[in-house]
Amino acid sequence: MNYTLHQLQVFYKITETLSITKAAEELHLTQPAVSIQLKNFQNQFDIPLTEIVGRQIFITDFGKEIAAAAETILNEVYAINYKTQAFKGQLSGRLKISVVSTGKYVIPYYLTDFIKNNKEVELEMDVTNKTKVLKALKNNEIDFALVSILPKDIEVESKIILENKLYLIGNKSVDINPTNDLVAYTPNYPLIYRELGSATRISMENYIDQNGIKSNMKLQLTSNEAVKQSVIAGLGLSIMPLIGLKNELEKGDLKIIPVKKLPIITNWRLIWLKGKKLSPVASAYLKYITDSHEKINEAYFSWITNY
């Protein structure tokens, strides 16, 4: 056998993404290049590593064994590279962060300078739903998670980095009711919900329950972007985090509907497993966040205080 590290990397990425297209995107290669590397790698084995059913690629049991071995080999190669950089006095390693979907409006601003100033640090960031974020945290697959509500079944340590405000949002055609009561809107405007398990959904349902509001859910969507566009289109109202609404509020496509006991206020927190031994990179990042988050907030999020 004469396979290369590059072939191992390509094959392992395919097993992660289950897609030639996605693997090519993440590796910054063309699809034909990935397909050729996969074919050359598979040809060195008498047992199939993958199967194509329809247009979907599946990893065989043998392929999964090879993928696990490839991961081990690649991690050892990474470790050699990191040790080389550390010997030269440079911070190096991988920083793994999982972020709930709305956190995509937040976390980039807390990463940019750290990554720029530590060019040997590799960033792995997954933006996904809350369930997957907490699963990755619980399984110790990541260094940090960014959430707005602390998990109840996982012992964590946390660092507050930014206030999170949730308001009732409507489009520009909604007439403001002087009673400032949500029930005045529900007969004419359906409430648009996020999916079950979403932190935004939990906050919205808690508010509705605590205030004895009866509302039939007619629309449930899986991202804040989808909710936002639906509100702009006039499909209904929703309680949404302010953090992703700056441009739409400034342009007048959306407006805050003043109602009693809003906004809901939580906090964006960087969390990690309690007792976790942080890597040098993770420790350096936590120190960076502790030292810099107020300056970052002033530079990029001072507009939040206007609402």
Side-chain angles (χ1 to χ4, degrees), residues 108-231:
Y109 299 95
Y110 297 90
L111 284 165
T112 302
D113 285 347
F114 181 79
I115 297 300
K116 282 182 178 179
N117 294 334
N118 297 283
K119 297 186 183 301
E120 300 302 324
V121 171
E122 296 180 26
L123 173 65
E124 290 187 12
M125 185 173 72
D126 186 27
V127 179
T128 185
N129 61 51
K130 181 187 171 188
T131 300
K132 291 182 179 179
V133 168
L134 295 184
K135 181 180 178 182
L137 182 71
K138 193 171 185 177
N139 291 341
N140 199 25
E141 297 170 356
I142 55 176
D143 298 307
F144 301 106
L146 183 72
V147 298
S148 60
I149 297 179
L150 288 173
K152 295 180 179 179
D153 60 340
I154 308 175
E155 286 193 280
V156 299
E157 298 179 67
S158 68
K159 174 67 181 176
I160 294 174
I161 60 174
L162 182 66
E163 188 176 69
N164 184 39
K165 295 180 179 180
L166 293 91
Y167 286 92
L168 182 67
I169 302 296
N171 72 2
K172 56 188 175 183
S173 68
V174 176
D175 293 325
I176 303 300
N177 189 292
T179 64
N180 284 359
D181 197 329
L182 180 55
V183 295
Y185 295 95
T186 53
N188 299 317
Y189 299 99
L191 290 180
I192 303 173
Y193 287 69
R194 282 288 306 276
E195 78 281 7
L196 281 171
S198 157
T200 301
R201 168 75 169 261
I202 292 169
S203 296
M204 183 171 171
E205 288 186 326
N206 286 342
Y207 174 81
I208 288 171
D209 291 343
Q210 290 167 8
N211 290 278
I213 298 167
K214 293 183 179 180
S215 171
N216 294 324
M217 182 182 66
K218 294 187 177 180
L219 189 58
Q220 174 180 280
L221 300 171
T222 57
S223 74
N224 273 9
E225 279 298 315
V227 173
K228 182 167 63 176
Q229 293 305 319
S230 296
V231 174

Side-chain angles (χ1 to χ4, degrees), residues 15-122:
T15 65
E16 280 190 313
T17 61
L18 297 178
S19 166
I20 299 292
T21 301
K22 290 180 181 178
E25 289 175 355
E26 294 190 18
L27 292 170
H28 306 291
L29 298 171
T30 64
Q31 290 184 43
V34 169
S35 296
I36 290 169
Q37 291 298 328
L38 175 61
K39 181 180 179 181
N40 291 341
F41 185 62
Q42 288 192 120
N43 286 343
Q44 299 182 66
F45 298 90
D46 295 329
I47 304 172
L49 303 177
T50 63
E51 294 176 339
I52 304 295
V53 179
R55 301 182 66 179
Q56 178 66 49
I57 188 167
F58 294 89
I59 312 302
T60 65
D61 289 341
F62 179 65
K64 291 175 183 177
E65 294 287 337
I66 298 301
E71 181 182 21
T72 299
I73 293 168
L74 291 170
N75 284 339
E76 289 299 319
V77 172
Y78 292 141
I80 291 171
N81 293 338
Y82 300 151
K83 288 175 183 177
T84 302
Q85 298 302 328
F87 191 78
K88 295 191 294 184
Q90 297 176 327
L91 182 67
S92 63
R94 277 186 285 183
L95 178 64
K96 298 182 179 181
I97 301 178
S98 191
V99 181
V100 295
S101 57
T102 309
K104 66 177 176 287
Y105 300 111
V106 177
I107 195 64
Y109 299 95
Y110 297 90
L111 284 165
T112 302
D113 285 347
F114 181 79
I115 297 300
K116 282 182 178 179
N117 294 334
N118 297 283
K119 297 186 183 301
E120 300 302 324
V121 171
E122 296 180 26

